Amino acid sequence: MIILKTPAEIAVMAEASRVVAEALAIVKKAVSPGISTEELDRIAEEAIRVRGAVPAFKGYRNYPKTLCASVNEQVVHGIPSKRKLKEGDIIGLDLGAIVGGFYGDSAVTVMVGRIPEETAKLVQVTEQALYLGIKEAVVGNRLTDISNAVQQHVESAGFSVVTEFVGHGIGRQLHEEPQVPNYGKPGQGPRLQPGMVLAIEPMVNIGRSAVRVLDDRWTAVTVDGSLSAHFEHTIAVQPSGAARILSQLEKART
Ligand code: MF3
Ligand code: CO
């Protein structure tokens, strides 16, 4: 069952998502050669807590940290550690926060210093795929119109979408129905309705699509060792027009 949210509930989810967006911006700024992913986790947790919110991932199914920090061939759910970033790495930063009983969830992939052109293209295409997916999140469309837009863009760039992990509904739970795959034929699944709140999260590999989970039981890596990127936004389907991106900071208008 898909739980629709009222405008008042969406306002609370916007708060949770804004905390995530602000915390991600702070962590992003701290990314540089020499910093450890554990230090980034500490910065993330502090940024969430000073805003009066609670980290969403810490303790979720025994996940030990606030941040998911996925470096290079790590796809998602990398556990922060003593590992230090170096120039040329890419790192996926995934954060969730709880405010007033509701979740917000967002992720970005950032480049550490100078990056080979192909790597920069992977990151750019993955972010573009997210926005193309969000563009389909309108009343009148069906769920897999989002999925198909993501897959088309990724594959026309010559990259692969990850199929083992998917986006999701979000609300009083981190993961609600529906699942939001990053692949599939258009025009299938539930019709999108106002009040649906979704976490759309393309995961894209330069090489083959296959992933496996390391012995730590969390870190997902590409089987072929190729680089992987991940972007995620929490969005709300509106009564009309484009979806509202809850986890995007308002751009200053002049
Ligand atoms: N954005 C990820 C997801 O939706 C984050 C979950 S990490 C976990 O699955 F630790 F909370 F599982
Ligand atoms: Co998510």
Side-chain angles (χ1 to χ4, degrees):
M1 190 195 50
I2 297 173
I3 303 167
L4 299 179
K5 279 79 189 179
T6 65
E9 289 171 332
I10 290 174
V12 179
M13 295 195 71
E15 278 302 300
S17 300
R18 185 177 55 81
V19 169
V20 171
E22 289 177 358
L24 269 181
I26 290 166
V27 175
K28 239 169 116 165
K29 269 196 210 154
V31 167
S32 56
I35 196 164
S36 73
T37 54
E38 224 166 50
E39 288 171 281
L40 296 176
D41 180 72
R42 213 172 328 108
I43 292 166
E45 178 161 2
E46 174 70 9
I48 289 172
R49 293 202 190 275
V50 296
R51 286 166 175 76
V54 175
F57 301 163
K58 205 172 193 172
Y60 178 86
R61 297 183 175 206
N62 293 322
Y63 186 74
K65 300 284 187 179
T66 292
L67 178 69
C68 294
S70 307
V71 181
N72 296 339
E73 79 291 349
Q74 298 177 351
V75 178
V76 285
H77 304 164
I79 302 173
S81 70
K82 306 269 180 239
R83 177 179 182 162
K84 287 186 161 76
L85 298 179
K86 55 179 180 22
E87 173 124 19
D89 285 343
I90 55 172
I91 179 171
L93 305 166
D94 190 349
L95 278 180
I98 310 169
V99 171
F102 284 92
Y103 285 79
D105 187 6
S106 183
V108 293
T109 296
V110 299
M111 305 183 270
V112 185
R114 289 181 52 86
I115 294 289
E117 202 177 311
E118 172 86 342
T119 311
K121 189 181 167 206
L122 169 74
V123 174
Q124 183 186 40
V125 164
T126 307
E127 185 170 28
Q128 287 167 345
L130 169 61
Y131 284 99
L132 290 169
I134 292 171
K135 215 168 157 183
E136 299 299 320
V138 293
V139 169
N141 275 357
R142 287 179 183 264
L143 185 76
T144 66
D145 292 322
I146 299 170
S147 312
N148 186 255
V150 169
Q151 182 176 28
Q152 288 301 325
H153 186 65
V154 168
E155 292 183 354
S156 48
F159 302 136
S160 319
V161 290
V162 171
T163 57
E164 276 102 318
F165 297 96
V166 294
H168 48 96
I170 179 167
R172 289 187 186 277
Q173 307 282 147
L174 176 59
H175 297 129
E176 295 183 356
E177 286 179 34
Q179 295 197 163
V180 185
N182 295 303
Y183 60 92
K185 287 192 282 191
Q188 320 240 279
R191 291 184 187 282
L192 300 179
Q193 291 175 60
M196 278 188 187
V197 184
L198 304 173
I200 302 176
E201 48 179 320
M203 289 146 267
V204 177
N205 301 346
I206 281 196
R208 297 181 62 89
S209 157
V211 302
R212 68 188 175 90
V213 175
L214 299 184
D215 287 340
D216 66 16
R217 299 170 128 262
W218 280 104
T219 313
V221 298
T222 58
V223 169
D224 65 7
S226 69
L227 297 175
S228 186
H230 176 215
F231 282 83
E232 174 175 23
H233 271 310
T234 296
I235 65 101
V237 178
Q238 300 291 100
S240 66
R244 178 175 170 202
I245 305 177
L246 304 182
S247 53
Q248 180 162 270
L249 298 174
E250 289 288 330
K251 293 197 187 81
R253 264 183 279 262
T254 48

